[in-house]
Structures are given as structure tokens and as C-alpha cells.
Amino acid sequence: MSSLFNAPVSQVYSWEPSNTWIAARHGVDPASILRFDLNTSTTTPAHLAEVLARTSWDPPIHESPDSLYGELAEAAAGYVGADRYEILVGAGMDDVLDIVAKTFLPPGGRAIVPIPTYSMYGVLTSQRNATIDAVPRRPAAEGFALDVDAIVDRLPGADVVWLCTPNNPTASAESPAAIRRILDAAAALGARGPLVVVDEAYHEFTGDTFVGERAAYPNLVVTRTMSKAFALAGARVGYAIACRPTIERLERNRPPGSVTTISAALAAHALREPAYALETAASIPAERDRFGAALTAAGWATYPSVTNFILARIGTPEVAEAATLALLRKGIVARTFGPAHPLRGHLRFTVRSRADNERLVAAATAFTEEAGR
Ligand code: PMP
């Protein structure tokens, strides 16, 4: 078996290489690798083991899942305070976003993408043969805020607006007033107005939400994931919340069985007992702010974050590349931004345990001291 069997292949969207590949390429012990690139939880919730054991027989694994995912949809509805028929479930939020694109973004259509933001919006738009209408955000000094005037100007004739709050990868929250202005302007265009997606993947870290606006704005779809605060990224479960007619349109493009029985049971259990996820989320800010300050002191200036990850300015794209390599040689994986990305020269880091974060800070300090010599 080749040790490179997980080598990155050319594809439109992927994340950083696997531990196996990094270990082989950089000569590090795979067990020592720390992933700062995925924005996922760093521990597996222990109490879910019991659910895993039970799901091998109830419902039986040899049966297909309930194609309506009643238990999961009800658990999600209970968690967000919506009706079960205002929920669409999918195999991770990426699957949900794909269903949204299939439903509302026709070939030749146009989607507004405030950049930088989550890369999948552009990927899904291209996959639909629709046009990416990239609207740059305000500069870092203005908190990467949405350029609301520019977005509102471009709403007529657009099919979808992809919004993300808190925004990945800037780690900043969008202003609720800005999102409401976009929703109002889109609603004012009537049936010809675009669908507005509000991606709340990192909702649990702030508590802010637009779920309560779904009745007022039939063109609003809020999306959530079990991958972040709920620590179930490997289970692949996400869901959307919208008014019932909008969910009914989305349901027509939903595959009947994309979420496994095991994942559906795990996610339903987690949503019914969300305390651990909310406690984990609540524990993040203290360590995040300490970690951010330490990175800044080490010479990698960090931006304010309201999430479980931090964006840092490293320097020129070449310096950021050298830093990435220096970290990889120490078994530390950062989220990188390619030469065409508006955040080239930056790296993004997940907030991990204090000890893990200290390993990164030490590596950053060694790198900047070496560079300054
Ligand atoms: N939206 C955002 C903003 C994300 O950061 C991510 C995960 N990287 C997703 C959606 C996709 O989440 P999932 O794992 O549920 O597909």
C-alpha cells in the first residue's frame, strides 16, 4: 500500500491533505499531527458512544433509513424552535447547500458571493453553470463588513445571495442590520427576487440567528451543521430552516437516503441534548482570545474572532507559504489560501486545547525569530 494513497488529487474543492500524506511528505509521526485547518471540534463527545452502540440494531443497519428522516427533522425543529416541516436535512451542510443551488440557481443564472467567504458557494455556483457575482467586502480595518450598497445594487436579476454569519474565513459576524437590508431589498423585488442563504455553521459560538425571520421572508433559507460545536463532522449531517413552501421546493431535489441511519440517530440524539455542544462553544472565547493575543505577540497579527477559529496575517504570500511549510514540518496543519485568494498571505487556525495552541505559538515564535535574524 502506498503511503501516499491519500495524496491530494486535482479537484475543485478540497481541504488540506490527510494526516497520512503529511506524515509521509514531511517525515512526521502521524500521531503527533495537530489539525488547525478544519474548524471542527477537537474531541469526540463520549456520551454519543451509547447511541452508536444502539444504532447498530435500532433501527437495524441492514434497513435503509426513514426517507423522510422524521426523527432527525423533529429533533432539529425542536432545537431551533421551528416546525418539523420547516426543516430539510442533508449529508452535511455542503449537501444542503448543493440542494439549495440545484433548486434556486438555474444554468446561466447569477449568484452574489461577498468575498472572501466560504469557498463552496463559488464551487456550487460554477457547478450549476451559473455566474459568480463576487462582491468584495470592506477592508480588514472595517472588520471585513459586507458592502451592502454594492450587494443591494446587484440584487435585481440575481438568483441567489450566499451570506455566512459568522463568516468563514474572516471569523467576523455580519451586522444583522446589513443582512436585514439585503433581505428587505430582495423581498421588495417580489417573486423575481433572489433567494437569500444565511449560513449559520458557526451559530453556536455566538447564539445569533435569523431562524426567527423565516416567516417574514419566504426567500430566506438558514443553514446549519452538526460539524462544528456538535463535534460530529465525520457523521456528515446538516439541515436548513425556511418557511414551509420554500422547504417543499427544496425537498424535490433531496436524495431520499443520503444521511446514514447511524448519522441520523447520532445527530437526532445530539440535537435533543445540546448541552455538551453549547458548553463546548461557551468554553471557546477565553482560550481563543488568549491564543489570538499570543499569536499576535509572536508576530502573526490576528483579527478579532467570534468563532472557534482565528485568521492571522503572516506577511507576503511567499512568507505565508514558508510559514505553512515550517509548521507542517512540525506536524502542524494550517488552513492556507492560494495565490488567487483575497486572503493570500494569511493563515487560518482552529482554536484547540491550550497545550495544542501553545505548540503552534511556539512554532510561530521560532519562525518569526528565524525570519528576523
Ligand atoms: N458552511 C461553512 C461556513 C463551513 O465552514 C462549513 C465547514 N467547513 C460548512 C458550511 C460545511 O459544513 P458540513 O461539514 O456540514 O458540510
Side-chain angles (χ1 to χ4, degrees):
M1 184 182 70
S2 161
S3 55
L4 294 178
F5 67 93
N6 272 333
V9 290
S10 167
Q11 61 185 73
V12 183
Y13 181 75
S14 64
W15 32 89
E16 308 296 330
S18 69
N19 287 2
T20 317
W21 190 88
I22 291 166
R25 177 81 176 72
H26 298 286
V28 292
D29 173 5
S32 73
I33 293 177
L34 294 181
R35 306 226 43 138
F36 281 88
D37 58 320
L38 292 168
N39 293 351
T40 44
S41 177
T42 52
T43 49
T44 305
H47 71 285
L48 293 179
E50 182 269 322
V51 186
L52 261 183
R54 181 168 55 78
T55 48
S56 59
W57 52 269
D58 179 23
I61 200 70
H62 59 267
E63 296 292 0
S64 296
D66 158 21
S67 69
L68 296 180
Y69 292 106
E71 190 196 359
L72 174 55
E74 251 167 51
Y79 173 64
V80 302
D83 184 272
R84 180 247 171 285
Y85 296 101
E86 295 175 311
I87 303 286
L88 169 99
V89 302
M93 195 210 287
D94 285 346
D95 188 38
V96 171
L97 298 175
D98 187 52
I99 295 169
V100 169
K102 280 182 179 143
T103 311
F104 288 97
L105 199 46
R110 177 165 59 90
I112 297 173
V113 185
I115 54 165
T117 191
Y118 182 45
S119 319
M120 274 305 283
Y121 310 144
V123 172
L124 291 167
T125 303
S126 303
Q127 285 174 350
R128 303 306 302 153
N129 289 319
T131 303
I132 300 170
D133 191 356
V135 180
R137 289 169 178 278
R138 307 297 305 158
E142 293 174 38
F144 297 108
L146 289 172
D147 188 340
V148 186
D149 290 338
I151 292 173
V152 167
D153 276 354
R154 273 131 112 152
L155 291 178
D159 298 287
V160 168
V161 186
W162 298 108
L163 301 178
C164 183
T165 185
N167 185 48
N168 177 11
T170 56
S172 51
E174 308 292 20
S175 126
I179 294 186
R180 201 159 282 118
R181 231 190 102 201
I182 293 165
L183 283 167
D184 283 332
L189 295 170
R192 287 173 302 109
L195 182 89
V196 180
V197 178
V198 177
D199 175 337
E200 295 185 350
Y202 300 94
H203 153 76
E204 281 79 13
F205 300 101
T206 65
D208 298 334
T209 181
F210 271 79
V211 165
E213 308 290 333
R214 66 195 181 284
Y217 300 101
N219 60 339
L220 166 68
V221 173
V222 178
T223 53
R224 297 276 187 91
T225 178
M226 301 304 291
S227 295
K228 308 300 178 185
F230 281 96
L232 289 173
R236 312 300 307 132
V237 181
Y239 55 99
I241 311 106
C243 69
R244 190 167 172 169
T246 302
I247 291 294
E248 279 172 4
R249 285 186 65 183
L250 292 168
E251 282 287 351
R252 287 182 218 145
N253 285 313
R254 180 178 65 78
S258 60
V259 184
T260 69
T261 306
I262 293 175
S263 295
L266 274 174
H269 180 90
L271 286 161
R272 282 193 299 264
E273 291 179 29
Y276 79 93
L278 302 176
E279 278 160 23
T280 312
S283 73
I284 296 285
E287 175 55 19
R288 175 189 67 214
D289 296 347
R290 193 203 65 78
F291 179 35
L295 281 175
T296 301
W300 290 353
T302 55
Y303 299 96
S305 165
V306 297
T307 63
N308 65 333
F309 59 91
I310 295 178
L311 182 68
R313 186 158 40 77
I314 311 300
T316 63
E318 293 73 28
V319 172
E321 210 173 297
T324 304
L325 202 57
L327 292 177
L328 282 170
R329 288 191 181 126
K330 293 183 172 178
I332 295 172
V333 192
R335 173 68 161 92
T336 59
F337 303 103
H341 197 282
L343 288 174
R344 58 189 171 273
H346 293 69
L347 293 176
R348 195 194 68 197
F349 303 110
T350 308
V351 179
R352 297 182 55 100
S353 69
R354 182 167 187 157
D356 291 352
N357 298 337
E358 278 306 289
R359 220 176 106 189
L360 172 56
V361 170
T365 307
F367 178 82
T368 53
E369 279 176 1
E370 177 73 20
R373 221 169 267 146

